[in-house]
């Protein structure tokens, strides 16, 4: 019985370990490929651990591509979209959570519809709209169309529902304006929810590929994802430089996500997991 | 007289007026809070959704004036466009792979992670979450070399074990399995964390009660745990199916578009090729609409099946 139990523990830990190694190996490869010379990458036998290390990939990444520019572009675009997403969805979520008004059910239906509406049903017309607005190669094309998602409003509503009504009424009796209530009571109390919405919006901008590919065509205006993908061409840079760029683009977002992992998973599965 | 004047003054400036303004403010304020969302939603979602349908009824090459063709684009897609059919079959194969490989793997991983006998759970959870955050572009760039035929990691490993190299990215037969493997890498870990969140929300007393009644661990899982996980399972399967039919970056970048003999041509890649490479905007819009209808139908069937299984 005891032996069986030990074997079971070993099997469980082994299963997790194998899964973990398979998950991490491609990422270790990315790191290793970014610091080894091209000649070593294309040689036998295939190894994961670099024999010789070099910084050449990183220098050619910055000297021969617009990588630094793409990084700044992506950072600014993602930050603006994140701020918009956080505050606009908190405002809408507040309206749905704490007010009764005409057409509330109808508007909330709209939110739920955006939850299920796939992007490709509107992409052609959205592109036409960008041409009309002259937003091709403009970051507004990235920021505004997806600034408020149904999901983030839904999430903020869930968080704001848990704010006690008494607190809001007390502020009203004290003569606080409605905007004042929002800024001084709601916002401080739902910061964790805003953080989740913000991180998801940031990551969505940071990682999106199809829409930027459609609206951005000037190299200096690229975002990281399109930039990295175009580096992979016959006249571009070595594979090691692509890996260097991939690594530098992945690290910050991984750190932020991992530091808030449990809140993010709770947010993503809100509604699917009963609390 | 004097008292009446004082009264009206009080009404104009006193607490009564204050109350009326408050009331008005309170009635108007939810619309003010909703306004930015509604405006953005109207301009960038409602209008494009309607307009796309309109475009799909036209023959529209680039942004030039278009010609009304009725349902011609749809008829052609349904009856004659074999590449579109191929893309739907490919997406369905990928979706089946997603459901029947990812689900048991991620559920198994979640059960293992939930066990008290596991060491280093915190580190494992972090590791399993990373592929979910890694952008599809970065993942494609990595896997391009991992699956490289001569110098790639996987064939290197196969070679060390004495096997022949596999043309992961170049063969029409192997391309889809390769794509499914990439999908497994991307989603099994995060799905297992979603399952884990579901597992941890199940009260331990329920399982304990079943054990006291003499149920084996398997029976506890099958009759208690698994049925209670149904909301998470539905969530994971639904997202998996929608994701399968909307896959873009991985096939597009790993296989230069559609792979050998269209073996990994995906619907969204096809939409991109027709709409934005050949600039057949009307046809592209029709693909988008038809694809959406198909996704809604497939998820509808899946949800109905899962509800039936639950009752």
């Amino acid at each position: 019985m005891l032996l069986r139990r030990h074997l079971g523990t070993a099997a469980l830990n082994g299963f997790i370990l194998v899964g973990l190694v398979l998950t991490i190996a491609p990422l270790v490869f990315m790191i290793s490929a970014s610091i080894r010379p091209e000649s070593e990458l294309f040689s036998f036998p295939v190894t994961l651990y670099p024999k010789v290390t070099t910084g050449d990939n990183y220098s050619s990444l910055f000297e021969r591509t617009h990588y630094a520019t793409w990084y700044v572009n992506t950072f600014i675009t993602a930050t603006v979209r994140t701020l918009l997403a956080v505050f606009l969805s908190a405002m809408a979520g507040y309206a749905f959570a704490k007010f009764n008004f005409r057409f509330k059910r109808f508007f909330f239906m709209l939110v739920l519809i955006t939850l299920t509406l796939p992007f490709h049903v509107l992409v052609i017309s959205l592109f036409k709209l960008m041409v009309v607005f002259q937003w091709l190669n403009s970051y507004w094309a990235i920021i505004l169309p997806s600034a408020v998602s149904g999901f983030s409003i839904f999430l903020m509503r869930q968080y704001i529902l848990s704010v006690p009504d008494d607190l809001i009424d007390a502020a009203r009796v004290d003569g606080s304006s409605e905007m004042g209530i929002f800024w001084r009571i709601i916002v401080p109390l739902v910061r964790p929810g805003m953080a989740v919405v913000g991180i998801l919006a940031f990551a969505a901008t940071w990682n999106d590929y199809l829409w930027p590919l459609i609206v951005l065509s000037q190299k200096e205006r690229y975002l990281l994802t399109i930039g990295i993908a175009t580096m992979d061409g016959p006249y571009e840079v070595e594979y090691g430089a692509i890996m260097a760029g991939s690594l530098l683009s992945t690290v910050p977002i991984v750190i932020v996500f991992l530091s808030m992992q449990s809140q993010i998973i709770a947010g993503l599965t809100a509604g699917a997991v009963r609390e | 007289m004097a008292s009446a004047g004082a009264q009206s003054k009080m009404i104009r400036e006193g607490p009564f007026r204050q109350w009326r303004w408050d009331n008005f403010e309170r009635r108007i304020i939810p619309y003010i809070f909703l306004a930015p969302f509604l405006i953005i939603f109207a301009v960038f979602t409602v209008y494009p959704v309607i307009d796309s349908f309109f475009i799909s009824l036209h023959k529209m090459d680039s942004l030039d004036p278009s010609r009304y063709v009725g349902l011609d684009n749809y008829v052609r897609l349904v009856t004659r466009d074999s590449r579109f059919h191929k893309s739907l079959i490919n997406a369905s194969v990928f979706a089946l792979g997603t459901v029947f490989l990812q689900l048991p793997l991620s559920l198994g991983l979640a059960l293992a992670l939930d066990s008290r006998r596991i060491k280093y759970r915190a580190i494992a959870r972090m590791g399993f979450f990373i592929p979910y955050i890694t952008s599809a572009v970065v993942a494609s760039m990595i896997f391009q070399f991992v699956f490289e035929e001569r110098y790639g990691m996987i064939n290197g490993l196969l070679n060390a074990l004495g096997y022949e190299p596999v043309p992961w990215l170049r063969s029409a037969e192997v391309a889809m399995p390769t794509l499914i493997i990439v999908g497994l890498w991307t989603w099994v870990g995060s799905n297992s964390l979603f399952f884990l969140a579901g597992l941890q929300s199940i009260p331990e007393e329920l399982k304990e009660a079943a054990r006291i009644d003499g149920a084996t661990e398997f029976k506890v899982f099958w009759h208690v745990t698994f049925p209670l996980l149904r909301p998470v399972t539905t969530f994971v399967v639904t997202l998996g199916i929608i994701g399968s039919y909307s896959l873009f970056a991985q096939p597009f970048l790993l296989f230069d578009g559609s792979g050998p003999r269209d073996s990994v041509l995906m619907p969204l890649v096809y939409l991109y090729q027709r709409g934005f490479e050949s600039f057949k905007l009307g046809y592209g819009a029709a693909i988008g609409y038809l694809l959406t209808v198909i996704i809604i139908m497939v998820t509808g069937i899946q949800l109905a099946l899962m509800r039936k299984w639950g009752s």
Side-chain angles (χ1 to χ4, degrees):
Chain A
M1 191 62 192
L2 196 67
L3 180 70
R4 233 185 97 190
R5 199 174 163 75
H6 276 296
L7 277 177
T9 307
L12 275 178
N13 281 296
F15 182 51
I16 301 267
L17 195 68
V18 169
L20 205 55
V21 166
L22 290 177
T23 306
I24 298 301
L27 301 159
V28 174
F29 166 75
M30 165 171 71
I31 300 170
S32 138
S34 80
I35 52 168
R36 65 211 296 202
E38 187 93 347
S39 56
E40 196 185 307
L41 207 55
F42 290 92
S43 70
F44 287 111
V46 175
T47 55
L48 191 57
Y49 190 78
K51 275 171 270 177
V52 190
T53 60
T54 169
D56 287 356
N57 293 320
Y58 288 87
S59 47
S60 80
L61 175 71
F62 286 101
E63 281 157 21
R64 290 174 44 203
T65 75
H66 296 87
Y67 191 78
T69 317
W70 300 335
Y71 216 99
V72 174
N73 294 345
T74 312
F75 188 80
I76 294 172
T77 312
T79 306
V80 175
R81 183 172 147 192
T82 301
L83 289 174
L84 273 177
V86 166
F87 286 105
L88 297 189
S89 47
M91 281 164 65
Y94 178 43
F96 283 124
K98 294 296 178 191
F99 289 92
N100 280 311
F101 50 93
R102 276 183 108 185
F103 307 122
K104 178 172 168 174
R105 284 172 62 96
F106 172 73
F107 287 143
F108 198 63
M109 276 286 290
L110 291 183
V111 170
L112 294 181
I113 287 171
T114 50
L115 269 177
T116 51
L117 212 59
F119 178 64
H120 47 250
V121 71
L122 47 83
V123 62
I124 299 273
S125 167
L126 200 58
F127 170 72
K128 221 181 99 196
L129 204 61
M130 297 301 110
V131 175
V132 174
F133 287 177
Q134 302 197 314
W135 276 0
L136 292 187
N137 285 307
S138 155
Y139 298 124
W140 290 119
I142 313 281
I143 293 168
L144 274 184
S146 41
V148 265
S149 72
F151 180 71
S152 54
I153 292 179
F154 185 76
L155 205 59
M156 286 319 298
R157 176 180 165 269
Q158 299 296 101
Y159 275 96
I160 295 172
L161 276 175
S162 68
V163 175
D165 285 337
D166 295 350
L167 217 57
I168 298 168
D169 287 335
R172 276 198 191 115
V173 169
D174 286 348
S176 180
S177 70
E178 293 294 330
M179 271 296 166
I181 294 173
F182 176 72
W183 283 107
R184 282 192 295 271
I185 296 182
I186 303 296
V187 167
L189 283 176
V190 295
R191 275 218 189 110
M194 293 172 85
V196 172
V197 167
I199 285 174
L200 292 177
F202 194 85
T205 324
W206 198 269
N207 290 343
D208 194 16
Y209 178 59
L210 176 57
W211 182 238
L213 183 69
I214 291 170
V215 290
L216 303 177
S217 56
Q218 291 167 7
K219 255 197 168 160
E220 307 79 51
R221 304 227 116 206
Y222 278 177
L223 300 181
L224 277 170
T225 47
I226 335 173
I228 290 171
T230 45
M231 275 156 65
D232 180 35
Y235 306 106
E236 306 292 334
V237 290
E238 303 84 22
Y239 185 75
I242 300 179
M243 286 298 98
S246 299
L247 178 64
L248 291 182
S249 84
T250 307
V251 167
I253 208 144
V254 164
I255 291 174
V256 178
F257 256 84
L258 292 187
S259 63
M260 290 197 49
Q261 191 181 13
S262 25
Q263 290 100 306
I264 292 168
I265 288 179
L268 285 172
T269 51
V273 179
R274 312 228 177 279
E275 284 162 48
Chain B
M1 222 23 211
S3 77
Q7 202 179 352
S8 69
K9 192 170 185 247
M10 210 177 95
I11 289 169
R12 259 184 287 116
E13 293 167 5
F16 189 60
R17 183 196 137 104
Q18 181 80 38
W19 178 81
R20 275 192 4 185
W21 164 246
D22 276 5
N23 206 20
F24 174 70
E25 191 190 13
R26 205 175 300 172
R27 254 193 309 160
I28 196 85
I29 202 81
Y31 298 104
I32 293 175
F33 279 123
L34 272 185
F37 158 67
L38 290 176
I39 293 167
I40 291 176
F41 183 68
V43 176
F44 298 109
T45 304
V46 176
Y47 168 74
V49 167
I50 297 166
D51 187 46
S52 278
F53 184 66
F54 201 67
I55 296 175
S56 77
L57 302 177
H58 288 75
K59 180 172 164 49
M60 190 175 178
D61 298 348
S62 75
L63 293 164
D64 301 335
S66 53
R67 186 162 57 81
Y68 179 77
V69 292
L71 292 172
D72 274 12
N73 288 329
Y74 291 98
V75 171
R76 197 168 137 204
L77 275 172
V78 172
T79 57
R80 292 202 302 276
D81 191 338
S82 57
R83 289 197 79 204
F84 181 64
H85 301 163
K86 177 81 178 154
S87 77
L88 287 180
I89 294 170
N90 287 341
S92 307
V93 171
F94 188 87
L96 288 175
T98 299
V99 173
F100 290 107
L101 293 175
Q102 272 184 37
L103 211 63
L105 276 176
S106 47
L107 186 55
L109 215 49
L111 286 170
L113 281 170
D114 193 35
S115 157
R116 280 201 212 88
R117 291 184 269 165
I118 282 300
K119 290 166 187 161
Y120 320 113
R121 186 189 289 135
I123 291 174
R125 283 178 49 164
M126 286 193 175
F128 287 131
F129 202 43
I130 292 179
Y132 183 78
I133 320 160
T134 311
S135 79
V137 170
V138 167
S140 305
M141 292 297 125
I142 297 173
F143 278 107
Q144 203 169 60
F145 202 90
V146 168
F147 282 117
E148 213 271 339
E149 214 171 316
R150 276 169 63 82
Y151 304 101
M153 245 166 76
I154 296 188
N155 278 353
L157 200 66
L158 289 179
N159 186 43
L161 296 171
Y163 290 99
E164 290 291 303
V166 177
W168 298 103
L169 301 171
R170 255 184 346 102
S171 137
E173 284 74 36
V174 195
M176 180 55 77
T178 307
L179 193 61
I180 290 178
I181 293 173
V182 174
L184 291 178
W185 178 81
T186 313
W187 289 298
V188 165
S190 54
N191 282 344
S192 77
L193 296 178
F194 295 148
F195 276 124
L196 183 62
L199 284 173
Q200 290 177 340
S201 73
I202 296 174
E204 193 59 34
E205 301 88 71
L206 283 178
K207 290 186 251 178
E208 210 48 59
R211 283 193 198 106
I212 289 168
D213 286 349
T216 60
E217 277 307 306
F218 179 77
K219 278 198 165 154
V220 172
F221 169 74
W222 194 246
H223 294 293
V224 179
T225 316
F226 196 47
L228 285 171
L229 276 180
R230 202 159 61 95
V232 192
T233 314
T234 310
F235 169 79
V236 166
V237 173
T238 311
L239 281 193
I241 288 179
I242 294 174
S244 303
Y245 285 91
S246 323
L247 204 62
F248 181 75
Q250 294 91 335
F252 188 73
L253 292 170
L254 271 176
F255 298 94
D256 289 325
S258 55
R261 284 190 273 129
D262 280 348
S263 48
V264 281
L265 176 67
M266 287 290 162
L268 212 48
V269 174
Y270 188 53
L271 190 162
Y272 179 80
Q273 290 179 340
R274 298 310 302 267
F276 296 102
E277 283 177 357
S278 321
F279 267 106
K280 307 274 183 208
L281 292 181
Y283 203 65
I287 296 174
Y289 249 88
L290 200 53
L291 183 58
T292 305
V293 171
I294 291 168
I295 291 179
I296 290 172
M297 274 166 31
V298 173
T299 15
I301 294 170
Q302 167 246 327
L303 288 174
L305 282 177
M306 291 192 77
R307 203 165 301 141
K308 207 172 161 195
W309 158 65
S311 58

